[in-house]
Amino acid sequence: MSKDNAVQPFEPKVVAYCCTYCAYTAGDLAGSMRLEYAPNVRVVKILCTGKVDAILLLRAFEDGADAVYVAGCAIGDCHFLEGNLRAIQTVAYTKKRLAEIGLEPERLEFFHVPASDGPGFADAANEMTRRAKTLGPNPLRKSITQAAGRKLAKESDEHPPLPEAVLGKLIHHSERTTVG
Amino acid sequence: MIVAERKPLEQVEAMIDGFERILVVGCGTCVAVCMAGGEKEVELFAAELRMKGKLDGKQRTIDEITITRQCDMEYLEQLAKYVDDYDAIVSTACGAGVQFLAERYDEKLVLPALNTRFIGVAEGAGVWSQRCMACSDCVLDQTGGICPMTICAKNLLNGPCGGTDHGKCEVDGEKDCAWTLIYRKLEKIGRLDTMRKIQPPKDYSLMTTPGKYTHEAFKETQAEDEE
Amino acid sequence: MVAAFKQAFAEKPFVVTAEVGPPKGTDVSEMIEHIDLLKDKVDGLNVTDNQSSVMRISSLAVCRMIVDRGGEPILQLTCRDRNRLALQSELLSAWVLGVRSVLCLTGDYISVGDHPQAKPVFDLDSVQLLQTVGLMNNGKDLAGNDMKGPTGFFAGAVVTPEADPIEPQMLKFEKKIAAGAQFIQTQAIYDLDNFKRFMEQARRHNVKIMAGIVLLVSAGMARYMNKNVPGIFVPDDLLDEMAGAPKEKRLETGIRIAGRMIKQLREEQVCDGVHIMAIGKESCVPDILKAAE
Ligand code: SF4
Ligand code: SF4
């Protein structure tokens, strides 16, 4: 859909969700190592890639990002044990959603970038910038002629609240009976 | 709970083709738990519909709201002040919720975004399995808490068919044979005798659709009628 | 009015039946050939009911054709395609058309057949179907209504002696007998030692046992069954025997094995008879019988 755009060079916008423990630190390292990498990347620091959900990734595209990636720890190194594993799942799932919508799934990726891997950080940034350049601008960036959706606030229940549910608490038979 | 899955985007796209103002209504109960139509899923789905519409050059507004439940009129009521603004409502509730929403707003076009699958349990993260087909005459007391109507593909009540294969079901080698499970369980709890009893044929009249049930406490008693 | 098949158990020490598979389509010439070939050589012709969930001519129609040709039919009736109304109506129809024996089965699941999208019925199970036959033999239907004229079926059921696990299978076997099964036909057996062990248990019940004999046509088929057909186990020595046979002798070897097994079952009085399933090779049944002499 964007092949004609691809011919004209453009500067893509790439969003990177980076785990504070690894990829983000690797980014710092890349900086202090004076490594050159694509300046197109906007880094969003997150506590753990496990926090990334499909909607966060999709929103970036909806708002016009040309490529998005999530960079997390190596397998087994997640500070929260399995956040990176979940992120891998989320990215795979979101790629399917992108395909469904009609955007190239290659615009989205997951990378393992350990804290010590400055060059790895640069590679990821370059790779995603390269992909965006080949694929052309995100077609959603074209001027918007429709009203954006909005979320309707839900008003609080009109009825007086029911007694609060006691969930997950075992109520013994004896608590319900009065011993005479 | 009720387990459902989202329809392919394409199918919903075809349903809403030609409409400009669309309200996606989520349901915060069963389908929220099975990650098909709760608040988060509505957010994702609405975003998808917006992006798809934009890519296809469509003039379209997609709004979203999620209510506690769509199978209760009092919650559906909350939508009254909004629905007039829309050409179509896409519901991400189970089939029952979609119908109730359509009944409450009977001048609106209400469309289903999910395929309702079954009554089931969460087996693991993101995995659900059917456990009950609402037969209206539960026999779990006889079968060690394992439903022969649901777990056995042939709804057999008196023991396994000849297809049990190393404890797996002939219909799907990935699934356990219900009657192997039942036998093992009854053996474990020392109640194999219940399996030796011949179970009578099921009373399918109880399952005549549409089912309807009134709680005892809400039934008008004979006495009140006569007064 | 007694079924000739039932009578055979009284008169003979060893009863033999063979399976007839109705065709898909209206050309019955080959099947009729088989019926004519076998009807006087066996004590009953057992007609499958949409076998393997593949749509074919009904068992009842073929049973009647067998009656017309002077043979003794056994109606197979599965719970897969009919609810209790249709099952009972089929039983009444069979009776008035001269069918005297019925084999009650659960039936394979729909998905293994050629119409996997069909709605599976399974309104009754095989145990309940046997009970239904018993009721009808006493002039009542399943709902308890009196019928104008009872049936008098000789009813049977099946068992899988090699089922894994075997315990629930045996439990159901007992229920089938309690529900009125008078004869039991087994799934194909190949390992006689296993079968004898099964017979030790089965002999405690007052029921006639017919061992299922399926003709092996190649080692490949045997391996396929071992892998894919639940409850069938072809032991290694038979596998080797089949594999060792040259191509043109394979069928002959299969016939020899089947004949040898039947002979042993008969001579050692292991069971009351055999049921021969020569799927697609019905014309070989006389050869198997000869090999068993
Ligand atoms: S027997 Fe099975 S289908 Fe029937 S109510 Fe109990 S669990 Fe549900
Ligand atoms: S193999 Fe077990 S679960 Fe499957 S249809 Fe047979 S009895 Fe039912």
Side-chain angles (χ1 to χ4, degrees):
Chain A
M1 71 193 61
S2 47
K3 288 287 168 276
D4 47 337
N5 290 324
V7 197
Q8 309 157 6
F10 84 110
E11 281 311 321
K13 284 189 181 132
V14 178
V15 177
Y17 292 103
C18 294
C19 158
T20 176
Y21 292 99
C22 52
Y24 194 80
T25 315
D28 271 351
L29 183 64
S32 50
M33 284 167 80
R34 307 250 180 273
L35 288 174
E36 286 232 4
Y37 61 88
N40 308 58
V41 177
R42 276 87 170 148
V43 174
V44 181
K45 175 169 149 182
I46 47 174
L47 185 58
C48 172
T49 53
K51 176 68 188 80
V52 170
D53 64 5
I55 189 66
L56 188 69
L57 299 174
L58 218 57
R59 275 279 151 77
F61 286 108
E62 192 177 12
D63 291 345
D66 300 301
V68 176
Y69 65 95
V70 181
C73 307
I75 302 277
D77 282 351
C78 174
H79 195 80
F80 301 99
L81 306 178
E82 51 183 40
N84 52 354
L85 303 179
R86 289 199 194 161
I88 291 169
Q89 254 183 353
T90 306
V91 166
Y93 173 73
T94 312
K95 280 183 169 210
K96 290 202 183 109
R97 304 281 74 81
L98 287 178
E100 204 174 42
I101 295 163
L103 276 180
E104 299 85 351
E106 306 86 71
R107 290 183 187 273
L108 177 64
E109 204 54 82
F110 181 91
F111 294 93
H112 293 287
V113 181
S116 57
D117 193 4
F121 181 89
D123 288 349
N126 292 335
E127 164 65 11
M128 290 315 280
T129 308
R130 185 193 63 74
R131 283 196 200 177
K133 281 188 172 157
T134 342
L135 292 168
N138 172 359
L140 291 167
R141 261 168 77 176
K142 280 188 213 148
S143 64
I144 305 159
T145 48
Q146 66 174 89
R150 65 200 159 99
K151 197 163 178 172
L152 303 179
K154 187 186 74 176
E155 253 139 81
S156 55
D157 296 350
E158 280 163 21
H159 297 279
L162 294 165
E164 213 178 322
V166 186
L167 299 175
K169 178 178 180 296
L170 180 71
I171 298 170
H172 289 281
H173 187 98
S174 56
E175 291 175 58
R176 293 289 193 213
T177 50
T178 37
V179 189
Chain B
M1 67 168 177
I2 312 259
V3 177
E5 67 183 350
R6 217 196 68 202
K7 280 178 177 289
L9 187 66
E10 225 173 276
Q11 237 186 70
V12 182
E13 268 293 329
M15 292 178 203
I16 60 171
D17 189 37
F19 298 116
E20 283 187 9
R21 299 191 51 82
I22 290 145
L23 180 63
V24 181
V25 182
C27 176
T29 307
C30 305
V31 292
V33 180
C34 68
M35 309 197 299
E39 200 174 5
K40 283 195 109 175
E41 292 74 31
V42 163
E43 196 177 347
L44 186 71
F45 187 43
E48 276 195 66
L49 287 174
R50 276 197 299 272
M51 292 163 81
K52 176 92 180 138
K54 212 155 137 189
L55 285 176
D56 295 350
K58 286 185 178 146
Q59 286 289 330
R60 179 198 273 174
T61 309
I62 311 274
D63 290 348
E64 50 187 272
I65 185 169
T66 301
I67 56 176
T68 310
R69 264 202 293 287
Q70 293 189 24
C71 52
D72 264 327
M73 275 299 167
E74 53 187 290
Y75 296 113
L76 290 175
E77 217 47 59
Q78 299 173 338
L79 302 173
K81 48 183 159 313
Y82 305 121
V83 291
D84 284 344
D85 296 342
Y86 299 94
D87 305 327
I89 299 177
V90 174
S91 161
T92 69
C94 71
V98 177
Q99 290 184 56
F100 224 30
L101 178 55
E103 187 178 318
R104 171 60 186 82
Y105 301 104
D106 63 353
E107 276 160 14
K108 279 284 156 209
L109 177 66
V110 177
L111 303 164
L114 305 186
N115 289 325
T116 307
R117 298 293 304 270
F118 47 73
I119 303 177
V121 297
E123 268 192 1
V127 184
W128 292 270
S129 68
Q130 187 176 15
R131 289 299 162 93
C132 172
M133 50 181 272
C135 77
S136 303
D137 181 18
C138 196
V139 299
L140 288 175
D141 58 319
Q142 306 284 314
T143 56
I146 295 154
C147 175
M149 293 293 291
T150 313
I151 314 298
C152 169
K154 297 178 187 170
N155 325 131
L156 302 180
L157 292 174
N158 278 299
C161 71
T164 317
D165 195 10
H166 299 88
K168 297 288 174 188
C169 173
E170 75 165 21
V171 178
D172 179 347
E174 300 285 303
K175 293 192 184 134
D176 291 327
C177 165
W179 280 100
T180 304
L181 296 176
I182 293 171
Y183 182 88
R184 298 265 182 259
K185 177 68 186 280
L186 291 175
E187 186 180 40
K188 189 150 97 188
I189 60 176
R191 291 181 67 93
L192 274 178
D193 274 349
T194 59
M195 192 170 157
R196 291 199 179 92
K197 275 196 296 229
I198 295 183
Q199 298 292 339
K202 200 83 188 160
D203 180 357
Y204 282 94
S205 70
L206 299 170
M207 291 174 78
T208 307
T209 59
K212 186 161 187 155
Y213 157 74
T214 313
H215 191 287
E216 274 305 321
F218 294 80
K219 274 183 193 155
E220 279 180 317
T221 62
Q222 211 60 32
E224 273 171 345
D225 272 357
E226 278 161 20
E227 265 169 35
Chain C
M1 282 301 243
V2 173
F5 172 51
K6 181 180 180 182
Q7 199 54 37
F9 284 108
E11 290 165 2
K12 299 180 179 178
F14 201 73
V15 174
V16 178
T17 60
E19 187 165 281
V20 174
K24 181 194 282 293
T26 53
D27 180 358
V28 291
S29 49
E30 199 184 333
M31 182 186 68
I32 287 187
E33 259 174 50
H34 292 152
I35 292 172
D36 288 343
L37 177 72
L38 301 177
K39 66 177 203 279
D40 298 322
K41 298 195 169 62
V42 295
D43 302 299
L45 287 171
N46 205 309
V47 187
T48 55
D49 176 11
N50 287 338
Q51 190 176 22
S52 307
S53 308
V54 172
M55 187 281 292
R56 305 160 204 257
I57 294 181
S58 79
S59 176
L60 178 54
V62 174
C63 281
R64 174 64 200 200
M65 290 164 77
I66 294 173
V67 171
D68 287 343
R69 310 188 84 78
E72 168 71 3
I74 300 158
L75 177 82
Q76 291 199 6
L77 194 55
T78 71
C79 299
R80 177 191 55 233
D81 309 325
R82 300 174 194 84
N83 67 9
R84 60 193 84 176
L85 266 79
L87 287 168
Q88 292 179 92
S89 151
E90 189 88 349
L91 285 164
L92 291 181
S93 310
W95 184 258
V96 298
L97 290 176
V99 180
R100 296 293 173 259
S101 307
V102 57
L103 184 74
C104 300
L105 305 139
T106 300
D108 292 324
Y109 196 70
I110 294 271
S111 59
V112 305
D114 65 348
H115 288 64
Q117 295 86 0
K119 181 173 184 177
V121 182
F122 301 108
D123 181 16
L124 301 183
D125 63 25
S126 51
V127 176
Q128 294 156 350
L129 180 57
L130 282 160
Q131 282 184 318
T132 308
V133 174
L135 282 168
M136 295 178 85
N137 283 351
N138 284 312
K140 295 255 188 211
D141 71 9
L142 189 55
N145 302 307
D146 286 323
M147 303 192 306
K148 203 169 163 187
T151 56
F153 283 112
F154 182 50
V158 293
V159 70
T160 305
E162 300 271 10
D164 177 19
I166 185 68
E167 302 93 333
Q169 182 74 204
M170 291 310 289
L171 232 150
K172 191 164 187 186
F173 165 77
E174 284 163 19
K175 279 170 119 171
K176 283 176 174 175
I177 295 165
Q182 292 171 278
F183 72 97
I184 297 279
Q185 188 174 298
T186 78
Q187 172 63 290
I189 54 140
Y190 292 98
D191 187 316
L192 289 189
D193 293 335
N194 285 355
F195 183 62
K196 282 179 190 163
R197 267 194 292 279
F198 161 79
M199 281 308 298
E200 272 168 34
Q201 284 198 52
R203 276 288 179 231
R204 291 186 211 136
H205 304 278
N206 180 23
V207 68
K208 303 291 178 194
I209 307 274
M210 311 272 293
I213 303 291
V214 169
L215 175 67
L216 290 175
V217 293
S218 67
M221 168 198 180
R223 267 185 233 113
Y224 175 86
M225 289 198 302
N226 270 350
K227 196 158 164 254
N228 299 304
V229 186
I232 293 195
F233 165 64
V234 186
D236 286 344
D237 53 333
L238 291 188
L239 270 175
D240 294 343
E241 191 172 342
M242 286 305 292
K247 206 167 190 170
E248 63 294 348
K249 293 256 169 150
R250 272 188 203 146
L251 187 57
E252 215 173 280
T253 312
I255 292 172
R256 197 177 62 228
I257 293 174
R260 189 174 68 212
M261 281 171 51
I262 296 171
K263 189 172 178 191
Q264 195 181 346
L265 290 170
R266 187 184 60 226
E267 287 177 352
E268 297 182 19
Q269 295 177 3
V270 179
C271 55
D272 306 292
V274 286
H275 170 60
I276 304 169
M277 297 167 265
I279 306 149
K281 294 265 186 299
E282 281 80 0
S283 54
C284 296
V285 174
D287 301 328
I288 297 175
L289 292 174
K290 192 166 277 161
E293 271 166 19

